[in-house]
Amino acid sequence: MHNFIGTYRLILQLIKKDFKQRFVGSYLGFWWAFIQPVITICIFWFVFQVGFKSQPVENVPFVLWLVTGMLPWFFISESVAGGTYSIMENSHLVKKIVFKVSILPIVKILSALVVHIFFMIVLLCIYLYYNIYPNIYWLQLFYYIGASIIIVTAVTYINSAIVIFFRDLGAIIGVLLQIGFWITPIFWNINMIPEKYITLIKLNPAYYIIEGYRGSLIYNTPFYSDFWNMVYFWCVTIALSILGIVIFKKLKPHFADVL
C-alpha cells in the first residue's frame, strides 16, 4: 500500500513537471495547455460554421461532428508522440537504480489525458449550447476513453523502448501520425468513399475510437453495435499490449547503457 501511494505521488509530480517543461518561459505557464484547446475549437467553429457554412451531419452542426472526431485523435497522437520520447527525455531518472522507468510513458499519457478531459468538458458545453442534451449513451465516453488509454499505452511502451536503440523511429512515428490523421475519417465521412476501401479504413484502431465518440454523442448507438469491429479492436489492443510488455522488459536492462 505504501509503495502504491509513493508511486501515485511520484506520477503526480512528474505530470506537473511535464506541464511546466512544455511551457517553460511563458507567463501563463501550464495554463496554455488549456487555453490552446479552447482557441482551437473557436477557430474551427468560425471557419466551418461561419465561413464555409458547412451543412449539418445527422442534424448536428458540422463543427460538432468534426471536433467530436478530432478530440480522440488529438489525445491518441499527443500520447503516442510524447510517450515515444518519454524515456529519452528523462535519461537522468532512468540511470537511477531505484527508479521505476515503466511509469515514464504513463506520465505522458496521463498528462495528455488531463488536457483531453478539459477539452471534452468544453465540447459537451457546446453541445448544450446547441440544445443537445445528455443521455445514457454519453456514459459510453468512459468506455472509449479507457479503450484509448489502453491501446496508446501499449503502443507507447513499444515505441519508447525501441526509439532508444533506433532513433529514427521518432521521425517515422511523426510521419505515420500525419498520414493517420488524413486517412482516418475525421474531416470526412467514411460513407463518402467506395465500399471496397471501407474495410481497409476500419483496420485502423483509431477508427473504432473516433466512431465510438460520435456514436455516443451524435448517433446514440450502443458500443456493441459494431460487434466485429469491437472484437477486432480488442484483439489488436491485447496483441499490442503483450508485445509492448515483452519488448519493454527485454530492452529495459539496457536503457541506462545506451542513454
Side-chain angles (χ1 to χ4, degrees), residues 5-238:
I5 296 176
T7 302
Y8 173 76
R9 290 177 177 173
L10 177 60
I11 290 176
L12 287 180
Q13 291 175 356
L14 290 174
I15 291 175
K16 292 178 182 179
K17 179 183 176 183
D18 180 64
F19 273 106
K20 290 179 179 179
Q21 287 180 338
R22 287 164 57 188
F23 303 100
V24 63
S26 61
Y27 288 105
L28 295 178
F30 70 90
W31 286 108
W32 277 114
F34 304 98
I35 295 173
Q36 288 175 342
V38 175
I39 294 175
T40 301
I41 289 179
C42 291
I43 291 174
F44 280 119
W45 175 82
F46 182 82
V47 171
F48 290 100
Q49 202 69 33
V50 179
F52 291 160
K53 299 186 184 301
S54 300
Q55 296 300 313
V57 179
E58 301 290 335
N59 296 320
V60 173
F62 179 79
V63 66
L64 285 184
W65 184 88
L66 173 61
V67 176
T68 302
M70 293 185 69
L71 280 184
W73 176 261
F74 281 165
F75 170 65
I76 292 171
S77 60
E78 183 178 352
S79 297
V80 172
T84 297
Y85 290 102
S86 59
I87 297 176
M88 293 179 61
E89 291 177 354
N90 295 277
S91 58
H92 62 289
L93 296 176
V94 177
K95 295 176 182 178
K96 293 184 178 181
I97 299 177
V98 296
F99 185 78
K100 293 183 178 180
V101 181
S102 57
I103 70 174
L104 291 176
I106 296 176
V107 168
K108 286 290 186 179
I109 294 170
L110 293 180
S111 178
L113 180 63
V114 171
V115 178
H116 180 65
I117 291 176
F118 176 79
F119 213 156
M120 284 297 303
I121 293 174
V122 174
L123 176 63
L124 296 180
C125 289
I126 297 176
Y127 268 87
L128 295 177
Y129 172 80
Y130 281 101
N131 296 319
I132 301 175
Y133 299 104
N135 57 59
I136 193 171
Y137 295 102
W138 285 27
L139 296 176
Q140 294 180 155
L141 290 174
F142 292 104
Y143 163 75
Y144 288 107
I145 290 174
S148 303
I149 292 173
I150 294 173
I151 194 167
V152 296
T153 300
V155 173
T156 300
Y157 268 101
I158 296 172
N159 295 346
S160 62
I162 295 178
V163 75
I164 297 173
F165 304 90
F166 179 57
R167 302 300 173 94
D168 290 346
L169 179 63
I172 294 173
I173 293 298
V175 172
L176 291 177
L177 288 174
Q178 289 183 18
I179 295 174
F181 178 78
W182 293 108
I183 66 173
T184 305
I186 299 173
F187 275 85
W188 48 275
N189 194 317
I190 194 171
N191 296 322
M192 296 170 56
I193 65 174
E195 188 174 351
K196 61 181 179 180
Y197 296 117
I198 291 180
T199 301
L200 184 62
I201 295 297
K202 288 184 176 182
L203 291 178
N204 179 3
Y207 166 82
Y208 175 73
I209 300 296
I210 290 171
E211 287 302 304
Y213 271 61
R214 285 176 174 152
S216 300
L217 294 174
I218 298 175
Y219 304 131
N220 292 335
T221 55
F223 70 93
Y224 52 81
S225 59
D226 193 351
F227 178 76
W228 291 113
N229 197 33
M230 179 182 69
V231 171
Y232 167 77
F233 172 84
W234 285 110
C235 286
V236 171
T237 300
I238 292 171

